[in-house]
C-alpha cells in the first residue's frame, strides 16, 4: 500500500513564494502612493490653516503679516522691539498664543518644534528645532513705491515714504485673492548645511528672496526662508520653475520646492490650498505671485494678455 504524504513539495513551496513575491511587488507601490497621498493631504491642511491664519491677522489688524514685523517685548524692567517674520505673527491665530506670549516677554525666547510649520514629506532632522517648510509671498521684500505690487507680505516695519502695508483689500482690487499666492512649500535651500528654514528667525539671521537682477550665472543670493518670488524678466524663462534645477538647486533664489512628486502645495489669499505642477511656466508663476499683474515693471514678467485659468491649478 502506497502512503500519501500531506507535506508540500519543494516545487509547490517555490511556486507559492514566487506568487507572494509578485503580489508584494505589485502592492508596495500602491501602499507608498497611499502613504504619500496622506502626507500631501496633511501638508495641504497645514497650508490651508496657515493661509486662513494670515486672513484672520488681516481681519484683526487691517493688513497682512509681513516678511518683517515690529513686535514689542517687555521683560521686567527691560523692553524693546524684535522683528520676527510672518510665522510668529500668526501664532495667536493658530491656537499657539502660549508661544506668542513668550515672544512678547523676551526678545529671544526658546522656540519649540511646531508640527503645522512642517511638511510630513520633508521631515526635519531633529524634532528639537523650530523647522519651517513653508514660505510667504514677499516678492522682492521691498516697500519701494514701484514695487508695492510684487508680493503680499511686505516690510511692515518701514516708516516714512516707504510705509506700506499690504491687505486683502489691495489684493482684491488687483487680480483677486483666488488667483494670488499667499504661501508655498519651500523644503530645500540652496545654502549649504541649511536644509530648511526656521520659523523663529528674525530677518537679520535669515535670508530674503532678491528677485531683481538675478541671472542663471549669478552666484546664490541671500534669501529669506520665510518668502518666495521671482524676477522673471531678469531670469530667462526655464522649462519649469517649480523644483527647477535649471537656475540652481531647488529652493534657490525664488523657487518653491517640495518632496511631493510632480509639484508643490501652495496656499492662496482666499484661504484655499492648491497644487502647482512642475510644468508651470515662469510667466504664469509670476502672474500668480503678483497681486496686480497688469502693472508694468521690470521685476515681473507676468502676462496680462489673458486672465489665469483655474485649470492650471490642481
Amino acid at each position: 500500500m502506497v502512503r500519501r504524504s500531506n507535506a508540500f513539495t519543494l516545487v509547490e513551496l517555490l511556486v507559492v513564494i514566487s506568487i507572494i513575491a509578485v503580489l508584494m511587488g505589485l502592492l508596495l507601490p500602491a501602499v507608498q502612493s497611499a502613504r504619500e497621498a496622506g502626507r500631501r493631504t496633511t501638508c495641504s491642511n497645514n497650508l490651508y490653516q496657515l493661509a486662513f491664519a494670515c486672513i484672520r491677522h488681516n481681519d484683526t489688524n487691517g493688513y497682512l503679516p509681513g516678511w518683517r514685523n515690529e513686535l514689542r517685548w517687555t521683560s521686567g524692567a527691560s523692553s524693546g522691539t524684535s522683528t520676527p517674520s510672518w510665522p510668529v505673527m500668526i501664532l495667536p491665530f493658530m491656537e499657539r498664543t502660549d508661544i506668542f506670549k513668550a515672544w512678547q516677554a523676551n526678545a529671544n525666547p526658546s522656540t519649540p518644534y511646531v508640527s503645522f510649520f512642517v511638511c510630513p514629506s520633508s521631515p526635519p532632522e531633529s524634532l528639537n528645532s523650530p523647522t519651517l517648510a513653508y514660505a510667504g509671498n514677499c516678492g522682492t521684500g521691498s516697500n519701494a513705491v514701484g514695487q508695492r505690487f510684487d508680493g503680499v507680505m511686505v516690510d511692515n516695519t518701514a516708516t516714512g515714504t516707504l510705509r506700506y502695508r499690504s491687505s486683502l483689500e489691495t489684493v482684491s482690487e488687483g487680480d483677486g485673492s483666488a488667483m494670488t499666492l499667499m504661501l508655498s512649500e519651500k523644503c530645500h535651500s540652496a545654502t549649504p548645511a541649511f536644509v530648511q528654514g526656521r520659523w523663529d528667525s528674525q530677518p537679520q539671521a535669515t535670508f530674503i528672496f532678491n528677485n531683481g537682477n538675478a541671472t542663471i550665472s549669478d552666484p546664490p543670493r541671500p534669501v529669506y526662508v520665510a518668502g518666495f518670488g521671482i524676477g522673471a524678466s531678469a531670469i530667462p524663462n526655464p522649462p519649469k520653475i517649480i523644483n527647477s534645477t535649471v537656475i540652481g538647486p531647488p529652493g534657490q533664489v525664488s523657487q518653491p520646492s517640495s518632496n511631493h512628486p510632480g509639484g508643490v502645495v501652495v496656499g492662496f489669499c482666499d484661504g484655499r490650498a492648491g497644487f502647482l505642477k512642475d510644468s508651470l511656466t515662469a510667466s504664469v508663476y509670476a502672474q500668480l505671485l503678483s497681486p496686480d499683474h497688469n502693472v508694468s515693471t521690470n521685476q515681473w514678467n507676468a502676462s496680462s494678455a489673458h486672465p489665469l485659468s483655474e485649470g492650471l491649478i490642481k
Side-chain angles (χ1 to χ4, degrees):
M1 185 172 103
V2 179
R3 181 176 296 175
R4 295 181 58 122
S5 175
N6 292 325
F8 292 107
T9 66
L10 178 61
V11 173
E12 290 173 329
L13 285 174
L14 290 174
V15 169
V16 171
I17 291 172
S18 299
I19 292 173
I20 292 173
V22 170
L23 291 175
M24 288 183 64
L26 294 173
L27 188 61
L28 277 177
V31 171
Q32 292 293 340
S33 179
R35 291 178 65 183
E36 169 55 26
R39 289 191 291 263
R40 191 172 123 181
T41 298
T42 300
C43 183
S44 297
N45 183 63
N46 286 348
L47 277 163
Y48 166 77
Q49 297 290 344
L50 293 173
F52 189 63
C54 291
I55 293 173
R56 291 184 62 193
H57 180 284
N58 180 89
D59 293 342
T60 301
N61 299 285
Y63 57 90
L64 291 166
W67 60 262
R68 184 165 64 182
N69 306 269
E70 285 184 341
L71 182 63
R72 295 287 300 175
W73 61 271
T74 302
S75 179
S78 302
S79 65
T81 302
S82 59
T83 53
S85 196
W86 62 270
V88 173
M89 306 309 293
I90 66 172
L91 286 171
F93 307 104
M94 295 292 293
E95 299 299 330
R96 292 311 306 263
T97 307
D98 57 327
I99 305 177
F100 186 74
K101 286 182 177 179
W103 276 77
Q104 290 179 313
N106 194 323
N108 295 291
S110 59
T111 47
Y113 168 87
V114 180
S115 61
F116 54 70
F117 284 142
V118 178
C119 171
S121 290
S122 305
E125 294 180 359
S126 170
L127 295 182
N128 296 321
S129 60
T131 303
L132 176 66
Y134 304 115
N137 178 9
C138 70
T140 60
S142 171
N143 278 18
V145 175
Q147 298 173 344
R148 290 183 176 179
F149 49 83
D150 68 355
V152 299
M153 291 186 176
V154 297
D155 182 1
N156 286 344
T157 69
T159 59
T161 57
L162 293 181
R163 184 71 168 185
Y164 174 73
R165 286 177 171 173
S166 182
S167 68
L168 289 178
E169 182 180 359
T170 305
V171 175
S172 297
E173 291 172 352
D175 293 343
S177 59
M179 299 307 290
T180 304
L181 289 180
M182 176 90 77
L183 301 161
S184 170
E185 285 187 273
K186 187 176 182 298
C187 297
H188 306 290
S189 171
T191 306
F194 199 80
V195 179
Q196 292 183 330
R198 292 172 60 100
W199 62 261
D200 68 333
S201 295
Q202 299 187 47
Q204 298 89 329
T206 60
F207 300 88
I208 182 169
F209 283 106
N210 187 348
N211 306 306
N213 305 317
T215 64
I216 290 178
S217 60
D218 278 345
R221 295 175 177 273
V223 294
Y224 277 116
V225 295
F228 66 95
I230 178 175
S233 62
I235 301 175
N237 217 8
K240 64 177 183 176
I241 200 73
I242 310 297
N243 282 323
S244 174
T245 58
V246 176
I247 58 176
Q252 179 177 321
V253 188
S254 56
Q255 303 166 84
S257 56
S258 79
N259 286 316
H260 302 300
V264 296
V265 181
V266 296
F268 287 84
C269 287
D270 63 351
R272 66 193 173 93
F275 190 77
L276 298 187
K277 298 180 181 179
D278 284 347
S279 57
L280 196 72
T281 64
S283 59
V284 173
Y285 170 59
Q287 191 172 348
L288 288 171
L289 289 179
S290 174
D292 189 355
H293 71 274
N294 290 309
V295 180
S296 176
T297 173
N298 60 3
Q299 294 291 333
W300 300 95
N301 190 28
S303 171
S304 59
H306 56 83
L308 276 170
S309 168
E310 292 192 22
L312 294 169
I313 305 158
K314 243 176 164 183

